[in-house]
Amino acid sequence: MNRTLLVLLGFLSMFALFILDMVLGSVSIPIEDVWAALKGGDTKKSWQYIVLNFRLPKALTAILCGAGISVAGLQMQTLFKNPLAGPSVLGISHGASLGVAVFVLASALFYQPMTGVHEMLGNWGLIIFAILGSMLVLMSVLLASLRLSDSISVLLVGLMFGFITGSIVSILQYFSDPELIQNFLVWTFGSMAGVAWTEMKVMAPVVTAGLILSLMFQKQMNALLLGEHYAAGVGVNVSRIRMALIVTTSILAGTLTAFTGPVAFIGIAVPHLTRLLLKTSDHKILIPGSMLTGAIILLSCDIISQLPGQQATLPINSITALFGAPVIIGIIMKNRRMKGAFA
Amino acid sequence: MEPLNGKSIAFNHRHLSRPILRTQDLSIGYETKNGPFILEEHLNIRIHNGELVCLIGPNGCGKSTLMRTIAGLQKPLRGTTYIEGKILKSLPPHKYARLISLVLTDKIQAGAFSVKDVVAIGRYPYINHFAKLRPYDCKIIDRSLEMVHLESYSDRHFSELSDGEKQRVMIAKALAQDTPLIMLDEPTAHLDLPNRVEIMNILKKLAINTNKAILLSTHELDLALQTADSIWLMKRGTAIRNGAPEDLVLTGAFEDVFACDAFDFDKSTGAFKVKHISKGSVALLGSGIPYLWTRRALERDGYKISEGTGHEVSVKIVGSNCWQIASGGFQDNCKSIAMLLAHLRHLDYYKTKKAD
């Protein structure tokens, strides 16, 4: 079957990009040495250190983030029945930023520089605040959307919530010291490189749990596409699934945003690209499909942002936007209007 | 028992009738700030298996509210609905979905579903979280599509279908849900005549062959009179009347509900006739089908038809393409009914001008 071939091709290219992401960078490391470093074989000590402690967690982060943000976007598009919904559009990333800002600034007030056990606790605190921040915004947007009938209004409301949280973050910045602001600004550019093994130990299980959880909602999400009455008619508890989708989206988008910064456009563009490639709206195929496509695309964006052979690194957001924005423009132009864009 | 396979039912089960749906002292309406707004109260209605029931009534009489209340999508003001003896309210969602299936008027936008994907959603109350279809589910999906004559459409994209085909897919979805009661909210709305007839035919056959109870709301009086086993007639401010369509015609219930200045209910044909402004009488001579259609045209334009002579205006059908019109010694031939009507309007115009 054509689709099986596509999936196989997808897995192969993901694996190839995963290796390539570890080969390329400011220092190019030959593929045999990357392989040797991964297997614990014989290679240069410095290369081994770079591969195991920088490039491997970075590539893994790109996969988790690509898969997670894409699924979060897909869930929001189905939840809001809105083809342009996504973590960066509806203010969910902003909500996570607010959580992160509050946590970072608050912990700077109460703790001395964190080390060891504190660092571990700090990571969990970061995640929890980011999740709570995203959930707060997502719930508010959902409540507003229940009173609004057209999708444009919902997007605008989401955008406004984004501005509100954004301005609160700016106000918080005004009262904090310059070094923290510098860190915060760098964080907002988005980067896969900020996740070391200590962070990975926290991020990977949470994101994996979110991804597995998202696979449980295929039925309900398909039914929701027919409208809430049809969904209720086939035994879906509509308010419960709405809540479940909000929680899952917040866990995925919140956690990932906390560690990689807000990654723009992946959440909107990848589900559309997947629909286009696999020619279906069936979530049984779309959910795993979006994970795979998202991982592939974010790995590619990460490789490009490293500017192979150069010392400088571009912010990953500029690359994802360069890729994502044209996809979205294309989708809107193709369908002439937004309502049809689920096709 | 294989409830979906009509062919395996060797004899008509309909004499073994049992109530599928029963309401007890049901009141429907809305809660408003000024207290409850009641549309109908003390409803004690039943639908039996194998029965096709049509819910009919003018716009705004509460048809949709009744449908939604029975389906459990809206809370009743009072009273209880029983499905197969179980209280509807008390059922958890997945059990409810095994008893009632719905076909709604909601527009479906999700375009990249295949026809099979949509029908498969009907199997959701029966399958696990990972939406894994078992061979048995696939068999039911195929049979459901067969019953609405869409067996060759299974891999087509839903968005590419016509409105009539989409409606049939939604009926197949309801069939795949394999419930004793199927409820359809205006399933023939927005469809052209052949599609409306086809949908009603399919539903009628389903009621007979699958022994399911089918309740639908409709504006199609003609079709309802011809197909329904039973009709529920709704009117604002009066209790619902139900019975066989013919009984409701004979007791005058139809006329009562749809009484209106612009229409007459013709008991002899069971159809509504538009009341026209009267323009005076015309003598019409002729026979056969041309006579019938000429008569209809004249009536449509407001003329009364009489067959005697001595009228101011008379029309004689002389051939297949020739209508002779005579008025006050003046005579002319028309080649078509349109010309004839134009001529008559001309005469009327001069008549009124003279009178001025």
Side-chain angles (χ1 to χ4, degrees):
Chain A
M1 234 178 80
N2 211 354
R3 206 173 269 159
T4 331
L5 199 73
L6 263 176
V7 170
L8 201 72
L9 211 70
F11 269 110
L12 281 178
S13 44
M14 183 179 89
F15 187 72
L17 287 165
F18 179 67
I19 299 294
L20 199 64
D21 195 26
M22 287 187 281
V23 169
L24 297 175
S26 48
V27 193
S28 239
I29 302 175
I31 190 159
E32 309 87 64
D33 294 278
V34 167
W35 198 241
L38 286 178
K39 284 200 308 188
D42 192 30
T43 180
K44 260 207 262 178
K45 267 270 167 332
S46 62
W47 284 358
Q48 190 173 23
Y49 189 80
I50 290 175
V51 168
L52 288 182
N53 289 310
F54 290 100
R55 295 199 182 167
L56 180 59
K58 187 176 63 111
L60 283 176
T61 305
I63 289 180
L64 285 172
C65 183
I69 293 288
S70 305
V71 168
L74 175 64
Q75 287 188 329
M76 283 194 319
Q77 287 171 11
T78 303
L79 176 66
F80 290 101
K81 284 186 121 196
N82 191 329
L84 289 188
S88 46
V89 177
L90 287 181
I92 286 77
S93 304
H94 286 102
S97 318
L98 180 63
V100 168
V102 168
F103 180 75
V104 168
L105 300 175
S107 59
L109 283 181
F110 296 115
Y111 290 106
Q112 291 311 304
M114 295 178 284
T115 46
V117 183
H118 278 99
E119 207 165 294
M120 195 70 179
L121 278 178
N123 284 330
W124 281 106
L126 197 66
I127 283 192
I128 289 165
F129 270 73
I131 291 176
L132 287 178
S134 350
M135 218 183 291
L136 181 76
V137 174
L138 201 44
M139 289 281 269
S140 321
V141 177
L142 183 79
L143 281 178
S145 80
L146 294 180
R147 303 192 49 147
L148 298 168
S149 54
D150 72 312
S151 38
I152 309 269
S153 316
V154 176
L155 286 180
L156 287 177
V157 168
L159 221 56
M160 291 307 128
F161 275 115
F163 280 126
I164 294 172
T165 46
S167 66
I168 297 176
V169 170
S170 318
I171 293 168
L172 284 176
Q173 280 179 35
Y174 185 80
F175 292 107
S176 47
D177 76 78
E179 199 187 329
L180 278 173
I181 296 173
Q182 173 69 27
N183 284 343
F184 187 81
L185 279 179
V186 170
W187 175 83
T188 57
F189 292 147
S191 165
M192 299 296 119
V195 182
W197 285 114
T198 32
E199 282 89 26
M200 184 62 91
K201 268 186 225 151
V202 176
M203 188 184 87
V206 175
V207 173
T208 311
L211 289 176
I212 292 172
L213 204 60
S214 75
L215 287 170
M216 309 296 282
F217 307 135
Q218 309 167 5
K219 257 169 59 170
Q220 289 94 327
M221 284 169 79
N222 275 348
L224 273 183
L225 277 191
L226 297 190
E228 57 182 287
H229 288 144
Y230 270 124
V234 293
V236 172
N237 186 333
V238 175
S239 44
R240 192 184 293 170
I241 185 65
R242 274 200 183 122
M243 204 54 220
L245 288 177
I246 286 186
V247 170
T248 323
T249 307
S250 304
I251 289 177
L252 286 171
T255 309
L256 287 165
T257 308
F259 289 114
T260 65
V263 176
F265 289 103
I266 294 289
I268 314 177
V270 168
H272 283 294
L273 214 60
T274 315
R275 275 188 207 102
L276 220 64
L277 283 171
L278 300 177
K279 297 186 179 59
T280 184
S281 295
D282 186 358
H283 287 83
K284 202 157 108 187
I285 300 162
L286 269 189
I287 298 174
S290 295
M291 290 182 193
L292 191 55
T293 317
I296 290 172
I297 286 179
L298 205 55
L299 275 172
S300 318
C301 290
D302 188 49
I303 292 171
I304 297 169
S305 76
Q306 297 301 315
L307 294 173
Q310 308 266 326
Q311 287 304 308
T313 310
L314 295 174
I316 198 151
N317 264 340
S318 54
I319 309 294
T320 54
L322 268 182
F323 145 78
V327 169
I328 293 161
I329 294 172
I331 283 156
I332 297 174
M333 297 304 283
K334 183 176 152 247
N335 294 284
R336 304 256 174 87
R337 60 202 169 95
M338 288 218 328
K339 273 186 181 165
F342 266 122
Chain B
M1 194 178 85
E2 286 195 305
L4 258 170
N5 189 346
K7 284 164 203 149
S8 74
I9 297 168
F11 62 97
N12 195 340
H13 274 289
R14 293 215 278 175
H15 63 283
L16 300 171
S17 86
R18 61 200 159 87
I20 299 285
L21 174 96
R22 185 163 66 84
T23 68
Q24 196 173 46
D25 201 22
L26 189 72
S27 294
I28 60 163
Y30 299 92
E31 289 290 353
T32 64
K33 277 174 199 159
N34 313 318
F37 175 73
I38 299 169
L39 281 161
E40 290 276 351
E41 50 185 350
H42 309 306
L43 291 174
N44 293 296
I45 36 190
R46 281 156 191 261
I47 305 177
H48 296 87
N49 54 344
E51 207 175 23
L52 177 68
V53 178
C54 288
L55 173 61
I56 293 178
N59 281 336
C61 68
K63 279 198 304 287
S64 301
T65 309
L66 179 60
M67 294 289 276
R68 278 201 298 270
T69 311
I70 289 178
L73 297 175
Q74 185 174 335
K75 276 191 182 141
L77 294 175
R78 221 171 61 153
T80 324
T81 308
Y82 297 90
I83 305 276
E84 295 228 302
K86 296 175 192 91
I87 297 175
L88 180 71
K89 255 193 320 211
S90 68
L91 291 170
H94 67 280
K95 288 211 170 125
Y96 154 84
R98 294 180 189 191
L99 292 171
I100 303 184
S101 48
L102 307 174
V103 176
L104 305 164
T105 44
D106 304 15
K107 270 243 174 258
I108 295 167
Q109 293 166 4
F113 270 135
S114 73
V115 167
K116 198 187 163 182
D117 290 337
V118 175
V119 180
I121 289 175
R123 295 305 297 165
Y124 283 5
Y126 303 92
I127 60 179
N128 70 11
H129 272 293
F130 297 103
K132 173 93 187 120
L133 293 171
R134 300 156 297 178
Y136 175 71
D137 298 307
C138 295
K139 215 164 98 187
I140 290 188
I141 292 168
D142 289 342
R143 263 194 268 164
S144 306
L145 279 170
E146 248 168 66
M147 286 174 143
V148 297
H149 316 307
L150 289 176
E151 52 271 44
S152 57
Y153 280 55
S154 131
D155 292 324
R156 293 266 300 268
H157 268 196
F158 185 76
S159 60
E160 295 164 0
L161 304 185
S162 73
D163 284 349
E165 288 162 346
K166 279 182 183 161
Q167 194 61 276
R168 273 147 66 196
V169 173
M170 294 322 289
I171 293 175
K173 183 233 79 171
L175 282 172
Q177 218 171 321
D178 198 11
T179 54
L181 175 65
I182 299 180
M183 290 179 65
L184 307 97
D185 193 12
E186 301 195 14
T188 54
H190 314 300
L191 300 183
D192 59 11
L193 188 63
N195 273 305
R196 291 203 293 260
V197 174
E198 163 128 40
I199 296 275
M200 290 302 275
N201 275 341
I202 287 173
L203 293 174
K204 179 76 177 174
K205 266 190 217 149
L206 287 177
I208 295 171
N209 290 337
T210 64
N211 211 22
K212 291 177 189 302
I214 298 179
L215 170 62
L216 64 102
S217 66
T218 182
H219 286 290
E220 301 292 325
L221 286 177
D222 269 8
L223 285 172
L225 280 170
Q226 286 176 54
T227 41
D229 294 303
S230 171
I231 283 181
W232 295 356
L233 210 48
M234 263 184 118
K235 185 188 180 183
R236 271 290 267 290
T238 54
I240 289 188
R241 278 166 282 196
N242 72 337
E246 297 76 14
D247 279 332
L248 293 175
V249 172
L250 289 177
T251 56
F254 262 103
E255 280 170 278
D256 176 43
V257 167
F258 292 100
C260 164
D261 293 337
F263 290 96
D264 272 330
F265 184 74
D266 187 346
K267 266 191 191 172
S268 59
T269 58
F272 282 88
K273 271 198 167 168
V274 182
K275 279 187 198 166
H276 298 290
I277 343 124
S278 186
K279 283 185 183 167
S281 58
V282 170
L284 180 63
L285 291 166
S287 63
I289 289 173
Y291 173 82
L292 267 176
W293 286 97
T294 312
R295 186 187 174 116
R296 273 180 74 135
L298 292 173
E299 281 178 343
R300 173 165 62 82
D301 232 27
Y303 297 99
K304 239 191 209 127
I305 306 299
S306 62
E307 268 150 44
T309 45
H311 283 278
E312 200 183 332
V313 183
S314 71
V315 173
K316 192 176 169 189
I317 304 170
V318 226
S320 59
N321 275 327
C322 186
W323 285 263
Q324 201 173 70
I325 182 166
S327 165
F330 166 82
Q331 219 180 43
D332 203 356
N333 286 337
C334 302
K335 278 185 191 161
S336 67
I337 288 180
M339 277 175 73
L340 172 69
L341 292 180
H343 211 115
L344 284 170
R345 278 182 208 136
H346 227 79
L347 287 174
D348 281 341
Y349 175 72
Y350 283 114
K351 223 182 352 181
T352 45
K353 218 176 177 189
K354 235 186 256 172
D356 286 343

